[in-house]
Amino acid sequence: MRIEETLQNSITNVLKQLYGIDAEVNTITLQKTKKEFTGDLTLVVFPFVKAARKSPEAVANEIGAAVAENCPAVASFNVIKGFLNFEINKNYWVDFVLQNADAEKYGFKTADSNQAPIVVEYSSPNTNKPLHLGHIRNNLLGWSVSELLKADGNNVKKVNLVNDRGIHICKSMLAWLKYGNGETPESSGMKGDHLVGKYYVLFDKHYKEQIKELVETKGIDEEEAAKTAPLMLEAQEMLRKWEAKDPEVYALWEKMNGWVYSGFDVTYKRLGIDFDKIYYESQTYLLGKETVMKGLQDGVLFRKEDGSVWADLTGDGLDQKLLLRKDGTSVYMTQDLGTAQLRQKDYNAEKLMYVVGNEQDYHFTVLKLILGKLGFEWGKKIHHLSYGMVELPNGKMKSREGTVVDADDLIDEMVATAEQTSKEKGRSDEGTDPQEQAHLYYILAMGALKYFILKVDPQKNMLFNPQESIDFNGNTGPFIQYTHARIRSIIRKSQEQLHVDLSQNPDTASVELNDKEREIVKILHDAPAIIDQAAQNYSPAMIANYVYDLAKSFNSFYQDTPILREENANVLKFRLKLCDFVAKVIKNMMGILGIEVPEKM
RNA sequence: GGUCUUGUAGCUCAGCUGGAUAGAGCAACUGCCUUCUAAGCAGUAGGUCCUGCGUUCGAAUCGCAGCAAGAUCACCA
């Protein structure tokens, strides 16, 4: 039994015996004893002093004495004001290490693949432009939360919904037809998504020129000009043709989307993210339309005079929401009604999770409400994992102002920085395979980037300053990767030079724990609770902060405690076991973040 | 204007369901490589936890009000 549980039980009994207090076991909360006091776990006794009718110190002393009496694992206790600090027997910690050090995934639960899955949608790109830093946060978060939920024992399915249809892609297509001269990714050497993005920008440029011209020559206002500019009319015409499945338009659409997909694939691969299933909006929006029509028939929705279809949410304190335009075409909400159903049908999910920015909070409130009105009970299972925006020092990224941080560029820069940093440290040792070297730079770069993004609480907006490249020192991914590499180096040497047999446990009689070791052991001991907590909060940031604490404590220990130079064979072996345990937990926790850890660096 | 989110050191962030003297990293300043990898360690300095009121034995944490920033309230997605 874990020590917290043992103590909780004992304390519950003691409270009953001493004061007749009936406390639920799980209401007894123990906290970690602060560093400046001696002890491992602390009980705050203030909640019981009233019922006990004694001073906090007296209560703490009485409880402490009784618990120490009953629990062999308690080595001693001390009382400071109303705080009862228990010191746990060294044997408990030592045994804990030896019993768990060899576990491949300490603290991880295994998922039952038969249970209803949590379906996590993330990424959800538009196919008209390449991915940028905002998408990076979404992708890393969605992937990592999925892994986190798996680690906590859930069956998880990762899905992507590609927004492949609509006026935006028509704009790129039109511009390519007009100004592209048949340019392809092959002919230009450009990544497909960037090539298509280039024409999206080009459309906007020419479109703006047309508007300006219209305003100047015809004297109409800008709003009117925007609606009547020939390019816009052509784009809309193209969309109509697309919906009518005009063969030429359709073929072009497939060709250009194909370019984008292969471009995305490269970026996804570099980011290390993947999906179990990919949905395409072009294949789901019709179901949304049908659903709306049915809702209309059932009288849940209503039609306005102009023919548009709406949901009335005024009874829920919200507004009316458009679901079908007067010309019968669908909007964003319409297709989301379709995809949600399809997904529910495909997976019969326990939870439908959407990793989408907080700018769409309103959309998801409405989506759930409308699904409920349409009679879909499972609408309640939708959970919008809402995360904050990535901001630049001068505010939000704006594609029109050219302040977008491109995903591919950023990754390239990170890799270059990693290589440069590595060389400055004189770590580009000769003799190593260049491919291995390149892989190291890549995982360090991605480690820095991923950690930088994931360590921030998802809910909060975060700031990225392109001027100051992401750090490799301090509270960073590479710091943790470095710690891992150091440990692996020690383990290697213990095998190659000292031939220590780690498959046998040491005799623990002579093993004592110094403060640093005890600190590390306690952090390791927390791993299961941290995974649990992080999963409940959908927060990879909690994992990031945990693994940083662990690495930091290890480095402090490493600095002043000899490991390979330890002469007592049992102590040596115990320390190696502890090191190995730390390395594994670092590796596994970083794995949840999607960060690889190197054997050497 | 309504709704939602955020506000902690110069900067970037932790601080979990209320608990002891609010913690890290970066930047600044001091030390430590002949010893297991210095991408490290040890230390100094840096705080009106946005403000006020309330709840509580106890509030950065909970409630209310205010201030500030952001998002949203589209026949965009």
Side-chain angles (χ1 to χ4, degrees):
Chain A
M1 203 187 307
R2 289 175 66 81
I3 188 67
E4 289 89 344
E5 223 178 308
T6 312
L7 279 181
Q8 280 177 329
N9 288 333
S10 176
I11 290 164
T12 312
N13 292 334
V14 165
L15 284 172
K16 177 80 178 159
Q17 278 165 22
L18 289 178
Y19 312 116
I21 298 173
D22 284 308
E24 288 284 324
V25 174
N26 52 20
T27 62
I28 308 286
T29 53
L30 290 159
Q31 50 189 287
K32 290 212 267 182
T33 304
K34 298 229 173 199
K35 270 194 182 145
E36 41 294 19
F37 306 98
T38 51
D40 299 311
L41 291 164
T42 295
L43 176 74
V44 182
V45 301
F46 291 112
F48 314 117
V49 299
K50 211 170 198 175
R53 298 167 169 277
K54 289 185 180 169
S55 73
E57 285 83 353
V59 173
N61 274 303
E62 286 178 0
I63 298 175
V67 171
E69 180 89 359
N70 297 333
C71 285
V74 173
S76 69
F77 71 95
N78 65 80
V79 173
I80 295 164
K81 293 196 272 183
F83 297 89
L84 169 55
N85 304 316
F86 293 104
E87 192 176 349
I88 306 305
N89 204 309
K90 160 219 115 180
N91 290 329
Y92 175 82
W93 299 121
V94 171
D95 290 347
F96 161 74
V97 171
L98 295 178
Q99 281 163 20
N100 295 287
D102 294 335
E104 271 318 304
K105 297 245 171 184
Y106 175 69
F108 282 54
K109 296 177 193 154
T110 43
D112 174 2
S113 57
N114 291 321
Q115 76 187 2
I118 298 179
V119 178
V120 181
E121 175 191 307
Y122 70 103
S123 201
S124 324
N126 290 337
T127 56
N128 61 328
K129 47 181 185 266
L131 304 174
H132 59 66
L133 183 54
H135 296 113
I136 291 186
R137 189 177 194 190
N138 179 297
N139 285 309
L140 297 183
L141 192 58
W143 189 90
S144 181
V145 163
S146 302
E147 294 304 310
L148 175 57
L149 291 170
K150 282 185 197 171
D152 200 38
N154 297 286
N155 180 15
V156 177
K157 297 292 174 193
K158 295 177 256 194
V159 305
N160 191 0
L161 171 65
V162 181
N163 295 308
D164 60 346
R165 48 148 248 125
I167 193 79
H168 54 270
I169 180 69
C170 289
K171 289 178 181 173
S172 301
M173 285 156 64
L174 187 63
W176 183 83
L177 279 178
K178 283 188 177 301
Y179 320 113
N181 299 315
E183 189 178 29
T184 66
E186 292 75 29
S187 74
S188 63
M190 270 178 103
K191 227 166 136 266
D193 50 340
H194 288 263
L195 182 69
V196 172
K198 172 179 149 188
Y199 286 100
Y200 186 71
V201 171
L202 214 52
F203 174 94
D204 202 57
K205 187 180 151 224
H206 288 281
Y207 175 50
K208 285 221 176 86
E209 280 167 11
Q210 287 187 349
I211 294 175
K212 198 176 162 209
E213 200 185 320
L214 282 173
V215 170
E216 280 166 7
T217 58
K218 301 210 171 155
I220 52 177
D221 65 22
E222 220 178 291
E223 204 177 317
E224 184 63 21
K227 281 184 191 163
T228 55
L231 271 175
M232 182 52 84
L233 296 178
E234 281 182 78
Q236 284 167 347
E237 173 60 19
M238 192 176 250
L239 181 60
R240 275 191 289 275
K241 281 187 175 169
W242 180 86
E243 290 198 357
K245 301 214 167 173
D246 175 283
E248 254 175 66
V249 172
Y250 222 75
L252 177 61
W253 173 74
E254 282 179 332
K255 175 161 78 178
M256 289 182 72
N257 269 343
W259 293 346
V260 173
Y261 297 151
S262 46
F264 282 174
D265 281 347
V266 171
T267 310
Y268 283 153
K269 195 162 183 202
R270 295 181 86 192
L271 285 172
I273 65 164
D274 56 6
F275 302 98
D276 294 302
K277 188 175 173 96
I278 298 180
Y279 290 91
Y280 296 91
E281 212 176 88
S282 56
Q283 293 164 11
T284 63
Y285 78 105
L286 291 172
L287 177 59
K289 272 188 178 182
E290 282 171 32
T291 308
V292 172
M293 294 318 289
K294 183 158 184 307
L296 188 59
Q297 279 168 19
D298 296 346
V300 180
L301 307 174
F302 70 98
R303 197 188 279 280
K304 285 196 178 175
E305 289 163 13
D306 64 1
S308 54
V309 180
W310 298 71
D312 182 11
L313 304 174
T314 50
D316 302 283
L318 301 175
D319 245 332
Q320 298 181 341
K321 183 74 188 175
L322 177 90
L323 295 176
L324 282 179
R325 297 188 183 103
K326 61 188 171 195
D327 64 2
T329 55
S330 62
V331 292
Y332 180 43
M333 184 61 72
T334 324
Q335 46 223 15
D336 248 5
L337 289 169
T339 42
Q341 279 179 79
L342 201 61
R343 203 167 295 169
Q344 169 62 16
K345 190 171 134 260
D346 286 348
Y347 289 107
N348 191 20
E350 177 198 311
K351 189 169 287 178
L352 294 160
M353 195 139 109
Y354 291 77
V355 181
V356 180
N358 61 15
E359 54 197 351
Q360 294 191 30
D361 286 354
Y362 183 75
H363 172 80
F364 284 98
T365 329
V366 171
L367 177 64
K368 285 180 81 162
L369 267 175
I370 295 180
L371 283 170
K373 284 188 186 301
L374 291 171
F376 299 115
E377 266 297 305
W378 50 263
K380 293 196 189 94
K381 295 177 178 175
I382 287 180
H383 181 259
H384 174 205
L385 178 54
S386 167
Y387 64 89
M389 301 287 98
V390 181
E391 287 168 345
L392 301 176
N394 44 0
K396 228 186 140 176
M397 281 186 280
K398 297 218 171 79
S399 40
R400 271 181 253 138
E401 290 164 24
T403 55
V404 174
V405 177
D406 179 77
D408 295 309
D409 291 350
L410 180 57
I411 295 171
D412 289 341
E413 281 166 29
M414 292 300 300
V415 173
T417 311
E419 176 165 1
Q420 189 193 334
T421 310
S422 226
K423 287 186 170 153
E424 278 167 11
K425 308 257 181 219
R427 291 276 163 64
S428 58
D429 41 350
E430 67 294 344
T432 34
D433 176 24
Q435 263 195 329
E436 234 172 79
Q437 266 320 71
H439 183 66
L440 177 63
Y441 300 145
Y442 163 76
I443 68 174
L444 292 177
M446 294 312 293
L449 176 60
K450 289 183 177 185
Y451 187 87
F452 177 82
I453 287 174
L454 290 173
K455 77 170 180 187
V456 180
D457 179 351
Q459 191 180 21
K460 292 185 177 169
N461 285 358
M462 63 176 297
L463 189 99
F464 174 79
N465 189 345
Q467 305 307 320
E468 312 163 8
S469 63
I470 295 174
D471 227 314
F472 285 69
N473 297 318
N475 186 358
T476 66
F479 169 89
I480 298 163
Q481 291 170 314
Y482 177 67
T483 308
H484 181 267
R486 273 178 148 182
I487 298 175
R488 294 301 306 158
S489 166
I490 289 175
I491 302 286
R492 269 196 309 278
K493 286 187 176 161
S494 78
Q495 303 295 300
E496 292 164 7
Q497 297 172 11
L498 303 177
H499 307 291
V500 179
D501 178 12
L502 287 178
S503 65
Q504 300 288 318
N505 277 338
D507 175 8
T508 60
S510 57
V511 175
E512 292 299 326
L513 295 175
N514 65 34
D515 288 350
K516 302 278 171 76
E517 287 172 300
R518 186 176 273 252
E519 171 71 20
I520 295 170
V521 174
K522 284 194 274 185
I523 294 175
L524 290 169
H525 189 262
D526 277 342
I530 295 294
I531 289 179
D532 225 59
Q533 216 173 83
Q536 270 167 39
N537 289 290
Y538 305 121
S539 175
M542 297 177 90
I543 299 291
N545 287 308
Y546 168 82
V547 69
Y548 172 66
D549 278 345
L550 178 59
K552 199 171 158 46
S553 294
F554 181 83
N555 280 321
S556 178
F557 158 72
Y558 174 92
Q559 194 68 22
D560 51 32
T561 309
I563 300 166
L564 294 175
R565 283 174 282 124
E566 171 59 47
E567 289 172 6
N568 179 315
N570 285 312
V571 175
L572 166 67
K573 195 181 268 193
F574 175 78
R575 287 191 181 148
L576 286 170
K577 281 273 187 186
L578 181 61
C579 287
D580 191 39
F581 195 1
V582 172
K584 282 189 181 118
V585 172
I586 287 179
K587 182 177 186 166
N588 293 335
M589 291 294 191
M590 291 295 262
I592 292 178
L593 305 179
I595 300 173
E596 266 189 78
V597 287
E599 292 291 309
K600 297 179 192 174
M601 68 183 269

